[in-house]
Every structure is written in structure tokens, then in C-alpha cells.
Amino acid sequence: MLKNRVIPALLLKNGGLVKTLKFKDPKYVGDPINAIRIFNDKEVDELMVLDIVASKEGNEPDYKMIELFAGECFMPLCYGGGIKTLEQADRIFNMGVEKVSLQTATFENMELITGIAEKYGSQAVVISVDIKRNFFGKTKLYRSATGDTTNENWKEFLNSAIEAGAGEVLINAVDKDGTLTGPDLELIKEADEELDIPLIALGGISSMEDIREAIIAGASAVAAGAFFVFHGPHRAVLITYPKYEELEQMLDISNE
Amino acid sequence: MNNQTEVKIIDIGLGNIASIQNMLKKIGFDSERMTEPIISENKPDLLILPGVGSYDYAMKKLNDGGWVEFIQKIASEKSTPIMGICLGMQLLCEGSEEGKLDGLSLIPGHFRKFQKNEDQPKLKVPHMGWNEVHFQNSAEWMSRGYEKTPRYYFVHSYYYTHDTSDYVAGETHYGVTYASAIQNGNVFGFQFHPEKSHKFGMNLFRNVMEKIC
């Protein structure tokens, strides 16, 4: 049976690994290459590396760093951050990266998705959306590069991205980011009802039980940051990943 | 380790060659990218056809680059093992619902798209993630060295079908039970990505290299 994927999501800032809280206050947590080596040894299902400043500062992806990741990573690797053109994506795929995650550039240019999907297949394009709840709890599409919410309907946005060729959706609950307070299950349910393609839920995961609940709510894969890099009430940095047997037992949900 | 072994990977922008090279290097084998279909005096010990993307886009590239005759020729010499990965495996067969162009037709079979059905109303396409492969007794060489059922990383929307089970080397269940590993003599293919399936994939690459050395 197909096991739901459990994916460490690593955030990059200027070559260092960081962890944010509700998309703010990036805290340095270590050397990314070292982290990737540890995750490799732990046989993780997949890795996601997101550069949180590339789009914000208009930088190119850090190719040198990405190449180092790809060489160390014997599981699928998804990279996101600062990709604006097909040529940039070409360079990244050529290094041994399987998927690119797109967000900022697609607000202006959905055709970027189509160009990459036609060349590398839909499975290689992840459309990433950040969702923030407003004062009344209503879900709003958030732009991580500028740090504001928009009135664009996020479901319509996702559907047009899927139509353009995206093969997978990453949905990140901004208010849950780094809080270790459990996933936004309502949001996951809503997204799952809307989508026929794999859905990766990110934000708030603090335990194996949270992962399980996110999957029951409809996530095809669950990504987490803080859960895999922090340990204990003082948020000491410790890189962990559950053993396969634990995951298998925990995720034995007949939803294949 | 046999450093004399010549592994060539077809490099026409159809897949993750760097990942395959990284994995081969990890188990002690050098490999070379092949960008033109030219047969040298020493034909390779293993030819790898990787692949991601769409069926017709890939077949067009193979047709336009003169690869089709090249691959068919070295396959018919019977001595060159050819390994297809993911879309590469699909291209080794006869065709796919995804496209109109004929495949390389080295292994009989066609590809059909995963469909939701009564048993699986929520089946998501593509089939993406880690899944088990049950190797057939006839493909014992692929299954050596595993203590438990191996699992590999899959990403695909079309699955192998054929009237007979003659070419089935391993099976996987996703909505339907289908052949995720196939073999016809010296030509074989994996629907999953062994190069991205850490220890399980590494072991399979070792089995392949042992088989051909």
C-alpha cells in the first residue's frame, strides 16, 4: 500500500538553515548540508528545501548550495525559492533536484508552470500557497514575498495553477508556522475537497498524532519544520525523524 | 568493484541523470552521459534510459535525435542490457494513452491512466510516494539482498498493461495491481525511481550491476 509521505521542510536564509514563527523571526538552527546528511541517514521519504528570502530580495536561487544538497540527497528533493524562469528551473533540475516549488513568480506568470510542466512533467511542479486566517477566521491567500494577504480566492488560484500544469499542492498554514500547536485541519479538509492532485500539508505539526490527523483530514503528504528540528520546551535544536516502523504503524490508515 | 564496467546514461534532457550518477557513484561505479547516439567499438555494459515528462515529448526527442534506431539496434544485439527508469521504462514499451507516438517496442505492453473507481473514489493521480514492490520468482535477481519487502519512490500517472504476465518482474498495488518492474530478456525497466529510494534503491542498483558484470 502507498504510505503517506512525511517530509521535513527546511528553510534557508543566506546559506543557513533557519526556522520561523508564523513566517517571522527566522532563528538560525544550523548548517543545511549537515542537516541533509542526517535526514539521509534517517531515510526520510522526501525533503523540501525552501529559500525564504530569495523571492523577497529578488535573488537568484543559490545554485552552489542546491547542487551540494542534491549530491547528498538519496531521496526525492524539492527546492523552492526565487525561481522566476524556465532557465533557472533547468539549472536546478540538471543538478539532480526532482521538483521545484513555485509561488511568487506564479502570481504574475502562470505560464512559468506550463513551461516547466511541459518539459519536466507535472509531477516536477509544486504550487505552493500560504494561507492566513484573518481576524474572523476566514482563509486568505498570503504572499510570502511581500508579507500581505490578498483578496484573491485561493481555491481559484490553485485551480488555475493546476490547469496550468502543477502536479502537487503545498499548503502552508501561516498562523501555524513554527508554533507546534497542531495542523489547521479545517484548511486541509477544505483543500482536499477541492483538489484531485496530491496535497502536502505544512504548518503546526508537533507530534505523530498530528501527522495522522492531517492525513485523515485529507493530506497526501505531511511536511513539518519545527517538529523535526526542535526538541523540548526550550526549542533546543535537535534533528529527528521517526523510524519507518513507527510511521508505518502510525499511518496505517486505509486511504490509499 | 569493477571499475571497467561501462555505464552509459542517455542524456537528452529527459530525466534526472545527476541523481542516477550520484547513486552509481555511491556504490562504486562511474557512469557517463551520452548526448549522441553513436556506437563506439566497445559497446556499453549497461545503457540507462531515464525519463520524466510526457510520452510524446520524450518519443519525439528520441525520434529526432536518431536514438530510436540506436537503442533498437543495441537491444537486438541481445548482449547490451538496457534499463529504463520511470518514463524511460514506458518508452521501452509499445505506447501509452498519454500520447500518440509509438514507443521503442522492446517490451510488449501499453500504459493506461490511473482512474478513480468504486473501490477507490479518492484515488489521487499521480501515484506519488513510497510503495512496495513484490518481485516475481522469475525476477529473482532483482529481489536479492532484501530482508523485507522493498519500497521505492514512485511518481507516475500511467501504469503498465499487457494481455499476458510474461514480462512482469514485480508488482505494486495502487488502485489496481500492476507491473512496476518489467523485463524482456536483456531489456528491463522500473516504474519507480531506484536512484531516489535510498537503501532499497541502492540495493537494487547493486543487483543490476551484479547481474551485468
Side-chain angles (χ1 to χ4, degrees), chain A residues 62-81:
Chain A
D62 185 344
Y63 301 109
K64 257 205 167 123
M65 182 76 90
I66 298 168
E67 190 165 24
L68 284 172
F69 294 156
E72 290 289 339
C73 193
F74 292 103
M75 58 265 183
L77 175 63
C78 174
Y79 170 81

Side-chain angles (χ1 to χ4, degrees), chain A residues 45 73 96-98 192 196, chain B residues 16 116 122 124 130 155 196:
Chain A
D45 291 339
C73 193
V97 171
E98 275 64 44
D192 175 53
D196 279 334
Chain B
N16 232 311
K116 289 178 191 179
K122 295 209 70 176
K124 297 228 173 183
W130 292 75
V155 187
K196 281 287 165 180

Side-chain angles (χ1 to χ4, degrees), chain B residues 107-110 160-169 171 179 182-183:
Chain B
I107 304 175
H110 283 88
Y160 178 88
T161 58
H162 190 251
D163 300 341
T164 74
S165 58
D166 293 358
Y167 310 102
V168 179
E171 287 183 326
I182 54 176
Q183 182 179 8

Side-chain angles (χ1 to χ4, degrees), chain A residues 144-251:
Chain A
S144 59
T146 46
D148 53 7
T149 50
T150 78
N151 281 325
E152 189 169 359
N153 181 311
W154 61 270
K155 290 179 193 169
E156 281 170 19
F157 173 78
L158 279 179
N159 280 322
S160 35
I162 292 164
E163 200 155 305
E168 200 172 5
V169 170
L170 169 66
I171 190 160
N172 194 351
V174 176
D175 311 295
K176 291 288 187 177
D177 174 54
T179 62
L180 296 165
T181 54
D184 187 335
L185 296 173
E186 280 309 310
L187 176 64
I188 297 170
K189 268 182 209 150
E190 245 186 283
D192 175 53
E193 277 162 20
E194 190 69 23
L195 307 169
D196 279 334
I197 64 170
L199 167 69
I200 309 170
L202 172 61
I205 298 296
S206 72
S207 65
M208 294 287 281
E209 190 52 39
D210 284 346
I211 294 175
R212 186 180 157 85
E213 281 181 7
I215 288 166
I216 292 170
S220 321
V222 179
F227 177 51
F228 296 128
V229 297
F230 290 139
H231 182 73
H234 303 294
R235 296 165 81 90
V237 175
L238 178 72
I239 291 176
T240 56
Y241 187 79
K243 283 197 172 12
Y244 181 68
E245 288 68 26
E246 277 178 82
L247 286 171
E248 204 177 26
Q249 203 181 349
M250 194 73 193
L251 306 181

Side-chain angles (χ1 to χ4, degrees), chain A:
Chain A
M1 118 179 183
L2 182 75
K3 190 180 73 61
N4 299 77
R5 290 164 290 148
V6 174
I7 307 172
L10 306 179
L11 305 183
L12 274 185
K13 188 191 170 193
N14 305 327
L17 193 61
V18 296
K19 186 64 204 103
T20 48
L21 187 63
K22 299 185 182 182
F23 279 44
K24 293 198 173 77
D25 309 321
K27 182 193 172 196
Y28 180 77
V29 293
D31 170 42
I33 301 294
N34 184 43
I36 284 187
R37 285 192 184 134
I38 294 171
F39 282 127
N40 218 19
D41 286 344
K42 293 184 181 297
E43 294 163 7
V44 312
D45 291 339
E46 192 168 328
L47 260 189
M48 189 171 265
V49 175
L50 305 170
D51 187 323
I52 59 166
V53 292
S55 281
K56 204 174 276 180
E57 295 175 359
N59 298 339
E60 287 258 329
D62 185 344
Y63 301 109
K64 257 205 167 123
M65 182 76 90
I66 298 168
E67 190 165 24
L68 284 172
F69 294 156
E72 290 289 339
C73 193
F74 292 103
M75 58 265 183
L77 175 63
C78 174
Y79 170 81
I83 301 171
K84 292 190 277 293
T85 67
L86 177 59
E87 291 68 34
Q88 291 175 327
D90 281 335
R91 255 181 103 169
I92 291 166
F93 286 121
N94 268 325
M95 291 168 175
V97 171
E98 275 64 44
K99 305 178 185 182
V100 293
S101 167
L102 302 175
Q103 178 179 111
T104 305
T106 63
F107 290 137
E108 306 293 327
N109 178 18
M110 273 293 177
E111 281 166 19
L112 177 63
I113 296 176
T114 313
I116 300 175
E118 275 176 359
K119 195 159 176 187
Y120 297 96
S122 285
Q123 84 295 330
V125 188
V126 178
I127 179 73
S128 149
V129 287
D130 298 322
I131 304 294
K132 194 168 166 43
R133 288 189 182 272
N134 70 6
F135 185 71
F136 305 100
K138 196 165 178 306
T139 51
K140 293 282 195 180
L141 183 63
Y142 178 85
R143 296 175 186 244
S144 59
T146 46
D148 53 7
T149 50
T150 78
N151 281 325
E152 189 169 359
N153 181 311
W154 61 270
K155 290 179 193 169
E156 281 170 19
F157 173 78
L158 279 179
N159 280 322
S160 35
I162 292 164
E163 200 155 305
E168 200 172 5
V169 170
L170 169 66
I171 190 160
N172 194 351
V174 176
D175 311 295
K176 291 288 187 177
D177 174 54
T179 62
L180 296 165
T181 54
D184 187 335
L185 296 173
E186 280 309 310
L187 176 64
I188 297 170
K189 268 182 209 150
E190 245 186 283
D192 175 53
E193 277 162 20
E194 190 69 23
L195 307 169
D196 279 334
I197 64 170
L199 167 69
I200 309 170
L202 172 61
I205 298 296
S206 72
S207 65
M208 294 287 281
E209 190 52 39
D210 284 346
I211 294 175
R212 186 180 157 85
E213 281 181 7
I215 288 166
I216 292 170
S220 321
V222 179
F227 177 51
F228 296 128
V229 297
F230 290 139
H231 182 73
H234 303 294
R235 296 165 81 90
V237 175
L238 178 72
I239 291 176
T240 56
Y241 187 79
K243 283 197 172 12
Y244 181 68
E245 288 68 26
E246 277 178 82
L247 286 171
E248 204 177 26
Q249 203 181 349
M250 194 73 193
L251 306 181
D252 190 12
I253 307 156
S254 34
N255 68 334
E256 61 173 279

